[in-house]
Amino acid sequence: MAEREAEWDLEDLGKGVHLFRWRTGFYASPFFVTSEGVCAVDPIDDTAAAAYRTAIATVTDAPVVAIVYTHDHRDHACGARILSPDAEIIAHPLAAERITRRGAGDLRHPTRLVADEETLRFGSLEIRTRYFGPNHSNSNIALFADTDGGTLLVFSDVIEPGVAPYRDLADSDLAGIVDTLDALAAEDFDIVMGGHLGPDQRSWADDYRAYFHELIDVTAQEFASMGGQKPLPGEDGVEMTERVRNETCAKVASRLRPRWGHWAGFKQWAPMNANRTLSYLITGN
């Protein structure tokens, strides 16, 4: 039992919604037990999916009839062939496009594409999906479902309660993240989880929104105070780039620390967040 619990655990959120945690604190995927079978989300990878299948079997003997990919990234979308080789695979069209372009044989291709706003129905259970545009990837969909704790928002890698945004925000559209978080403020939900952590209070969505706005504003200010991309006498382009980036990112992290420094990962990742923001400010993307 101790060994199993070290690998995964389950949480019953009520109203047919359960949460599978893989190597607790590392990945988390909800699944929905319905009268028509189980709808799972993000099988993670082959090893996790085998444990995911075992975990679901401790709750119900119903088959997994559908798997939702929240987005196209491999660390969330692999494993469907192990979790349920015959299940319907649901994703946004842009996720399907990317998966097809990669041609990865270990990843099952979507078989059902959702519109930008759609409601998935499995018996009496409803999962509302919404595509806000590009953010963490260009294919992320948000999921909304009722639980005993209120309406749950699942927004993998866009909001991760308890931790700072991840490293250099790889594959992210920074302006899109801000637009998404701004639009999300008008949505009705009570608790939020990502693909790794949560669920936790809705306030995490508000905090992420405030953090990204402040990150961009402060990075722009500090970059301007450095004189932008301006070499010192005798300094070549490589030296200038590294000096400006390193000093700017350190100053940004220092200014953000009083408000956000208590977040896990802030010390390591806030300078990386700032470095990605510099690229956005310099290139516009």
Side-chain angles (χ1 to χ4, degrees):
M1 180 65 72
E3 182 179 352
R4 192 215 78 173
E5 290 175 348
E7 287 294 296
W8 59 267
D9 63 57
L10 288 176
E11 182 178 354
D12 184 353
L13 302 182
K15 299 187 177 180
V17 185
H18 299 262
L19 181 57
F20 167 73
R21 291 191 177 92
W22 173 241
R23 296 173 179 164
T24 304
F26 190 38
Y27 283 88
S29 295
F31 64 93
F32 306 88
V33 179
T34 83
S35 61
E36 296 183 2
V38 175
C39 174
V41 177
D42 285 356
I44 306 170
D45 64 25
D46 286 358
T47 303
Y52 199 172
R53 185 179 60 201
T54 299
I56 290 171
T58 69
V59 173
T60 178
D61 58 4
V64 175
V65 296
I67 299 172
V68 178
Y69 293 165
T70 59
H71 60 302
D72 64 280
H73 289 171
R74 287 182 53 82
D75 65 320
H76 293 273
C78 285
R81 62 182 182 172
I82 303 298
L83 180 57
S84 181
D86 301 316
E88 179 179 50
I89 305 295
I90 302 171
H92 190 270
L94 289 171
E97 181 182 303
R98 278 190 165 190
I99 290 167
T100 298
R101 187 168 66 247
R102 290 189 195 120
D106 62 341
L107 202 158
R108 286 194 60 203
H109 287 241
T111 58
R112 175 181 172 185
L113 305 181
V114 294
D116 286 355
E117 293 192 50
E118 190 166 328
T119 298
L120 308 176
R121 293 182 173 86
F122 299 92
S124 61
L125 189 142
E126 295 185 349
I127 306 166
R128 183 168 68 89
T129 73
R130 181 173 175 188
Y131 176 69
F132 288 88
N135 39 64
H136 169 70
S137 81
N138 77 335
S139 67
N140 276 70
I141 53 174
L143 311 177
F144 299 85
D146 289 337
T147 72
D148 285 346
T151 299
L152 169 69
L153 164 64
V154 182
F155 216 166
S156 181
D157 290 347
V158 177
I159 302 168
E160 296 292 344
V163 67
Y166 184 65
R167 294 176 65 84
D168 60 353
L169 308 171
D171 197 34
S172 293
D173 184 313
L174 196 58
I177 289 175
V178 173
D179 288 345
T180 293
L181 294 171
D182 285 346
L184 194 60
E187 288 283 351
D188 183 18
F189 60 96
D190 303 291
I191 50 178
V192 59
M193 65 170 289
H196 301 269
L197 295 167
D200 210 324
Q201 298 176 3
R202 178 198 169 101
S203 58
W204 274 100
D206 301 325
D207 287 346
Y208 258 59
R209 180 188 184 197
Y211 174 84
F212 274 102
H213 276 284
E214 187 173 352
L215 171 68
I216 293 171
D217 289 346
V218 170
T219 304
Q221 293 166 18
E222 292 299 339
F223 184 48
S225 75
M226 291 288 293
Q229 299 188 97
K230 183 179 179 180
L232 297 174
E235 190 176 47
D236 65 26
V238 172
E239 292 170 323
M240 178 274 293
T241 296
E242 295 309 302
R243 173 181 57 82
V244 169
R245 283 187 176 264
N246 290 339
E247 293 184 19
T248 298
C249 293
K251 290 177 180 179
V252 170
S254 179
R255 287 183 60 183
L256 296 179
R257 188 173 296 112
R259 186 174 182 185
W260 312 110
H262 62 287
W263 284 358
F266 177 89
K267 179 180 178 180
Q268 298 89 342
W269 298 344
M272 297 184 187
N273 291 175
N275 190 52
R276 171 66 183 90
T277 304
L278 269 177
S279 294
Y280 163 69
L281 293 172
I282 292 167
T283 67
N285 295 314

